[in-house]
Amino acid sequence: EVHALTAEGRVSAMVLTALPPLLVAALIAVSPDYLDPLRDGVGPMLMVGAGACLSRSLRLRCRGDGVRLVRAS
């Protein structure tokens, strides 16, 4: 039962990881001009920079008793 639950979690993580690139690819295929505002200007660069800073300063630590947010050391 534990192996089935962990396998389900791994598959769920893979699906959630693959979803954004697949969605972007579908949007580019259907309407290439739709994502143009994300390539132009300073706003998108600031969002990517903020995301990179957050991903480095915070991380999730998964343990048997749950998930908790810890500061990177």
Side-chain angles (χ1 to χ4, degrees):
E1 183 177 327
V2 172
H3 292 292
L5 291 175
T6 57
E8 181 182 354
R10 285 192 300 269
V11 170
S12 177
M14 287 188 285
V15 168
L16 290 174
T17 301
L19 197 58
L22 291 175
L23 183 60
V24 168
L27 283 172
I28 289 172
V30 172
S31 178
D33 298 333
Y34 186 75
L35 296 176
D36 281 344
L38 292 177
R39 287 183 255 164
D40 301 331
V42 179
M45 290 183 206
L46 290 174
M47 288 189 292
V48 169
C53 289
L54 285 173
S55 69
R56 292 205 178 263
S57 66
L58 301 174
R59 63 182 173 164
L60 292 177
R61 180 172 292 168
C62 299
R63 296 181 8 175
D65 58 348
V67 177
R68 61 188 175 118
L69 188 63
V70 295
R71 289 241 178 240
S73 46

